């Protein structure tokens, strides 16, 4: 799939219409260099990339919001997008040279009833459904994981993590299971089971947390031994009790008292279990609230300023990470809070039943106390009641352990089946990586005279992809060259195995590269591979031997910014 055009319009009319072509697509500035106070750095070049990303499912906040300091918003741009009802239309086609199927996407920046989110004339306001529709149309896949947004994350490199990392292009909190699904999809491996694997992983974590609480009161084997001892003592006391002779009515009262105490024991155990569950929820909620980080970024702004002097072009999306983390924590808190109302109702009901049984226990105890029987018999009854109560408590704990172990066993068995299915594809995975490296090493060698390799690392949670660098910590410019080599190699790889993929690569800040490699990428690679390489760049960074007139798709300047405001 290729980008055909991007249109920006509002209620006053069309603002921009950008046509894309194969090969190199440059977005440049024409800011005069005679005025040394102008830079050409804030005219909207990167915004074009972000508008494409917005049409493909991003929130679009980075169009008017600083990616590092969230409180820094460009209110002029934000108000313009909302108040003038800006609509962005992206046209994606199978082939740019011939009439082919297309995907036409329209989105605006409004909410609720004024929200526009359309694919091929169909309104899809739910973001998750929107993502799934794009995945079905562009990748011909209905698997839930990875998401469409995750799949194309490496194709639009406009944010810090995607500019600095070759394969770890998702947010910092992404789990191994999600990355495994993404990596295998990139390699053309079926990932239908990965959504279930992720769900099972979360269930396993919750159950293991529950067992940690159970272990505080003893392992299953200890509880079973304690239960054996209690049963043995009950048998002994019942034998002694049977040697006493009393009338039937008295025996019935004694039996009734024992039944009441047994029910009290069961209810007390259930009350204890529910209280433990409630405490676990409240404890988890408390832990999550503690995790919710509220950091005054302004306090460490001076630190970033000092660091930027030592490391040019330093980009730190610290607050973005904090904000995402806090949103995730809030969702978790909402989820665990759902169980509290019903849990509280059950606790109240059980407490009432216990109070009722306590009154009955008192009545029966007073009747029995008024009867004539020996103190020895009374002691035996007290000991028996205590043992029965202990037995009920231990049986409940044993039941929790057995149920939890069975649940974990079921989860592990299902995970084993899924992992076994994935592991059975290991030879295919390795063959695909070998094929990818054929292109990756060739391009990296062409750029730097060095051969970079992609390899896998596997643990109990799944596959991971690793790019091996000859240099342990390459410079910023060289890292961008490695990323470009990876993305070009992927186009060739996907074409070789005939899988559905997107042919466009959008890169920002490539001018940090050395002129030699930049010239090689722009003149040779971008125009020799069946792709679109879309690059915003300051004019004076363009290699002198490049005929830019052939490749410029949009020229901007301080006096002619993207939105013309």
């Amino acid at each position: 799939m290729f980008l055909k055009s991007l249109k920006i319009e509002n209620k006053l009319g069309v603002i921009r219409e950008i046509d894309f072509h194969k090969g190199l697509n440059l977005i440049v500035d024409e800011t005069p260099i005679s005025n040394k106070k102008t830079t050409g750095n804030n005219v909207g070049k990167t915004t074009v990339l972000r508008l494409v990303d917005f049409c493909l499912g991003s929130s679009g906040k980075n169009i008017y919001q600083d990616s590092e300091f969230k409180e820094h918003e460009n209110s002029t741009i934000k108000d313009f997008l909302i108040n003038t009802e800006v609509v962005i239309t992206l046209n994606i086609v199978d082939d740019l040279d011939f009439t082919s199927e297309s995907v036409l996407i329209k989105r605006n920046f409004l909410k609720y009833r004024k929200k526009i989110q359309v694919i091929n004339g169909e309104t899809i306001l739910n973001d998750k459904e929107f993502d799934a529709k794009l995945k079905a149309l562009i990748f011909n896949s209905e698997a839930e994981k990875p998401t469409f947004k995750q799949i194309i994350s490496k194709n639009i490199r406009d944010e810090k993590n995607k500019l600095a990392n070759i394969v770890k292009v998702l947010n910092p909190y992404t789990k191994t299971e999600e990355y495994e699904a993404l990596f295998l999809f990139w390699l053309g491996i079926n990932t239908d089971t990965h959504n279930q694997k992720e769900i099972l992983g979360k269930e396993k974590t919750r159950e293991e947390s529950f067992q940690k609480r159970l272990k505080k009161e003893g392992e299953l084997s200890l509880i079973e031994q304690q239960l054996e001892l209690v049963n043995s003592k009950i048998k002994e006391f019942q034998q002694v009790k049977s040697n006493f002779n009393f009338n039937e009515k008295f025996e019935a009262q004694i039996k009734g008292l024992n039944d009441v105490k047994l029910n009290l024991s069961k209810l007390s155990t259930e009350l204890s279990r529910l209280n433990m569950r409630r405490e676990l929820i409240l404890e988890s909620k408390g832990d999550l609230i503690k995790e919710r980080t509220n950091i005054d970024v302004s306090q460490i702004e001076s630190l970033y300023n000092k660091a930027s002097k030592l490391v040019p072009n330093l980009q730190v999306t610290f607050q973005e990470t904090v904000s995402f983390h806090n949103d995730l924590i809030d969702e978790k808190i909402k989820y665990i809070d759902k169980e509290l109302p019903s849990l509280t109702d059950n606790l109240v009901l059980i407490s009432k039943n216990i109070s009722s049984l306590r009154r009955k226990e008192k009545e029966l105890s007073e009747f029995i106390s008024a009867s004539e029987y020996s103190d020895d018999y009374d002691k035996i009854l007290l000991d028996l009641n205590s043992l029965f109560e202990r037995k009920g408590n231990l049986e409940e704990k044993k039941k929790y352990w057995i149920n939890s172990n069975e649940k974990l066993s079921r989860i592990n068995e299902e995970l084993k089946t899924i992992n076994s299915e994935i592991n059975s594809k290991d030879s295919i995975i390795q063959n695909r990586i070998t094929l990818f490296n054929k292109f990756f090493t060739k391009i990296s060698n062409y750029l730097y005279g060095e051969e970079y390799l992609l390899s896998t690392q596997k643990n109990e949670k799944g596959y991971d992809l690793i790019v091996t660098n000859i240099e342990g910590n390459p410079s910023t410019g060289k890292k961008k060259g490695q990323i470009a080599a990876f993305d070009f190699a992927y186009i060739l790889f996907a074409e070789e195995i005939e899988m559905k993929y997107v042919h466009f690569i959008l890169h920002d800040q490539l001018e940090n590269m050395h002129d030699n490699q930049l010239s090689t990428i722009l003149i040779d690679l971008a125009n020799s591979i069946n792709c679109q390489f879309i690059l915003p760049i300051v004019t004076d960074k363009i290699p002198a031997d490049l005929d830019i007139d052939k490749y410029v798709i949009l020229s901007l300047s301080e006096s002619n910014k993207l939105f013309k405001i």
Side-chain angles (χ1 to χ4, degrees):
M1 301 292 284
F2 294 86
L3 300 181
K4 182 176 177 61
S5 64
L6 179 76
K7 182 164 68 174
I8 307 168
E9 59 187 324
N10 63 7
K11 57 187 178 183
L12 300 176
V14 176
I15 301 169
R16 298 274 182 191
E17 188 152 12
I18 306 165
D19 293 321
F20 302 96
H21 52 246
K22 278 189 180 181
L24 180 62
N25 291 250
L26 294 178
I27 303 163
V28 301
D29 71 281
E30 295 178 337
T31 302
I33 59 174
S34 56
N35 186 350
K36 296 187 181 297
K37 292 183 179 181
T38 59
T39 65
N41 284 328
N42 295 295
V43 297
K45 300 187 303 299
T46 300
T47 303
V48 176
L49 274 57
R50 292 173 177 172
L51 289 175
V52 172
D53 198 25
F54 174 65
C55 286
L56 297 176
S58 78
S59 68
K61 288 183 179 179
N62 57 1
I63 293 169
Y64 54 81
Q65 189 178 69
D66 189 283
S67 59
E68 182 178 342
F69 303 105
K70 297 297 184 183
E71 69 275 12
H72 295 171
E73 284 188 350
N74 187 326
S75 57
T76 302
I77 296 296
K78 184 178 180 181
D79 291 344
F80 174 76
L81 294 173
I82 294 171
N83 296 337
T84 70
E85 300 179 12
V86 170
V87 177
I88 312 298
T89 303
L90 181 68
N91 191 9
I92 307 175
V93 295
D94 269 338
D95 197 313
L96 283 170
D97 298 325
F98 304 96
T99 302
S100 60
E101 291 186 13
S102 65
V103 178
L104 193 66
I105 304 162
K106 284 190 176 186
R107 291 190 75 190
N108 70 355
F109 298 85
L110 304 181
K111 297 180 179 179
Y112 311 117
R113 288 182 297 176
K114 291 187 175 182
K115 179 177 180 179
I116 295 174
Q117 193 159 274
V118 179
I119 301 175
N120 289 344
E122 179 185 357
T123 296
I124 307 173
L125 298 181
N126 181 281
D127 292 342
K128 190 174 181 180
E129 292 175 7
F130 181 82
D131 184 276
K133 181 71 173 181
L134 286 175
K135 185 176 179 181
L137 288 172
I138 293 176
F139 293 108
N140 195 28
S141 171
E142 295 183 358
E144 195 164 339
K145 290 295 175 77
T147 65
F148 173 78
K149 196 75 189 72
Q150 289 173 335
I151 295 168
I152 65 161
S153 53
K154 66 176 176 56
N155 292 83
I156 306 174
R157 296 184 183 266
D158 63 327
E159 297 289 352
K160 177 183 177 293
N161 60 317
K162 294 188 282 186
L163 289 167
N165 300 318
I166 298 177
V167 294
K168 292 295 179 73
V169 290
L170 305 181
N171 71 72
Y173 298 102
T174 304
K175 294 184 177 180
T176 302
E177 293 88 343
E178 281 197 87
Y179 263 123
E180 179 185 62
L182 175 61
F183 293 157
L184 293 184
F185 189 95
W186 283 351
L187 293 172
I189 309 293
N190 184 289
T191 60
D192 289 347
T193 57
H194 274 79
N195 186 55
Q196 181 62 14
K197 180 176 179 178
E198 187 180 343
I199 292 171
L200 289 170
K202 291 177 181 177
E203 285 185 28
K204 183 176 180 180
T205 300
R206 285 196 296 269
E207 204 58 38
E208 287 173 343
S209 177
F210 179 62
Q211 286 201 353
K212 285 180 182 178
R213 290 294 298 266
L214 290 177
K215 284 179 181 179
K216 291 179 181 179
E217 299 184 31
E219 297 276 0
L220 176 59
S221 60
L222 175 60
I223 290 170
E224 288 177 333
Q225 291 303 315
Q226 289 174 332
L227 197 52
E228 285 291 329
L229 180 61
V230 168
N231 283 331
S232 175
K233 288 185 176 181
I234 287 174
K235 189 175 180 180
E236 289 176 13
F237 278 95
Q238 284 179 329
Q239 183 63 45
V240 174
K241 174 178 170 288
S242 65
N243 294 330
F244 290 87
N245 294 314
F246 296 100
N247 62 53
E248 292 182 4
K249 184 178 180 182
F250 184 78
E251 286 288 346
Q253 297 293 337
I254 293 294
K255 184 179 182 305
L257 181 60
N258 286 336
D259 289 342
V260 168
K261 288 183 178 292
L262 183 60
N263 287 332
L264 273 172
S265 172
K266 290 180 179 178
L267 286 174
S268 296
T269 302
E270 179 64 10
L271 187 69
S272 174
R273 184 187 73 82
L274 292 176
N275 272 322
M276 183 170 73
R277 179 64 182 163
R278 185 171 181 273
E279 288 172 10
L280 183 64
I281 290 172
L282 292 174
E283 184 180 308
S284 299
K285 183 178 177 181
D287 290 341
L288 287 171
I289 291 172
K290 287 178 184 177
E291 286 182 34
R292 196 180 193 285
T293 313
N294 291 297
I295 297 177
D296 184 4
V297 182
S298 63
Q299 292 182 0
I300 57 173
E301 185 176 2
S302 60
L303 178 62
Y304 290 136
N305 291 335
K306 292 178 182 177
S308 62
K309 294 177 181 178
L310 298 174
V311 184
N313 301 309
L314 177 67
Q315 294 188 15
V316 181
T317 57
F318 179 76
Q319 188 171 354
E320 182 179 29
T321 301
V322 172
S323 177
F324 175 84
H325 173 68
N326 288 343
D327 291 343
L328 189 64
I329 294 298
D330 290 340
E331 287 301 314
K332 288 183 179 179
I333 291 172
K334 287 180 186 177
Y335 178 79
I336 64 175
D337 263 348
K338 288 181 182 178
E339 193 179 343
L340 279 176
S342 62
L343 203 59
T344 303
D345 291 342
N346 285 336
L347 284 168
V348 171
L349 180 61
I350 290 172
S351 297
K352 287 181 180 178
N353 289 338
I354 287 175
S355 297
S356 177
L357 285 172
R358 290 289 185 200
R359 288 193 295 271
K360 192 171 182 179
E361 179 189 34
K362 183 179 179 183
E363 292 172 4
L364 290 170
S365 296
E366 288 174 352
F367 173 82
I368 292 169
S369 297
S371 304
E372 296 180 359
Y373 67 101
S374 68
D375 291 339
D376 291 340
Y377 190 79
D378 185 47
K379 186 176 184 307
I380 289 170
L381 291 180
L382 289 172
D383 289 341
L384 270 174
N385 288 335
S386 177
L387 287 167
F388 274 117
E389 187 173 341
R390 177 66 175 152
K391 178 182 178 179
N393 187 271
L394 288 170
E395 285 178 339
E396 282 298 312
K397 289 178 182 176
K398 180 180 178 180
K399 186 173 74 174
Y400 300 152
W401 266 113
I402 291 172
N403 290 341
S404 182
N405 284 339
E406 288 176 350
K407 189 173 182 180
L408 268 179
S409 178
R410 187 262 305 168
I411 291 170
N412 286 328
E413 194 61 35
E414 290 184 30
L415 282 172
K416 183 180 177 181
T417 301
I418 292 173
N419 286 329
S420 177
E421 182 183 340
I422 295 170
N423 292 337
S424 68
K425 301 171 184 174
D426 188 68
S427 61
I428 300 174
I429 293 169
Q430 298 308 321
N431 287 337
R432 292 281 168 89
I433 289 176
T434 299
L435 178 61
F436 176 85
N437 280 330
K438 184 180 82 171
F439 303 111
F440 192 29
T441 55
K442 183 179 179 180
I443 293 175
S444 60
N445 188 49
Y446 186 56
L447 279 174
Y448 293 105
E450 300 171 0
E451 295 179 339
Y452 305 130
L453 286 171
L454 182 70
S455 61
T456 59
Q457 179 176 289
K458 187 169 64 174
N459 56 40
E460 61 178 9
K461 292 187 176 181
Y463 280 92
D464 203 356
L465 288 184
I466 299 170
V467 174
T468 303
N469 301 318
I470 293 175
E471 291 185 14
N473 187 23
S475 65
T476 301
K478 195 165 189 178
K479 188 63 177 284
K480 294 191 182 301
Q482 293 173 352
I483 291 172
F486 179 90
D487 291 344
F488 282 127
Y490 185 80
I491 297 287
L492 295 171
F493 163 79
E495 204 166 52
E496 181 76 11
I497 64 172
E498 298 181 346
M499 69 175 287
K500 293 275 286 183
Y501 69 103
V502 293
H503 295 70
F504 50 84
I505 303 170
L506 286 68
H507 274 213
D508 194 15
Q509 300 179 14
L510 210 65
E511 58 265 27
N512 291 327
M513 293 177 60
H514 189 278
D515 288 350
N516 292 338
Q517 282 73 38
L518 183 60
S519 179
T520 300
I521 287 175
L522 299 189
I523 297 174
D524 298 336
L525 292 174
N527 294 304
S528 63
I529 294 172
N530 185 29
C531 72
Q532 295 170 300
F533 190 65
I534 301 164
L535 175 67
I537 190 168
V538 179
T539 307
D540 60 7
K541 298 293 184 180
I542 298 174
D545 53 346
L546 180 70
D547 182 7
I548 65 171
D549 292 337
K550 292 170 58 177
Y551 306 114
V552 172
I553 58 170
L554 179 65
S555 295
L556 302 171
S557 68
E558 285 283 348
S559 60
N560 180 30
K561 295 187 177 184
L562 180 65
F563 294 119
K564 299 182 178 180
I565 56 172

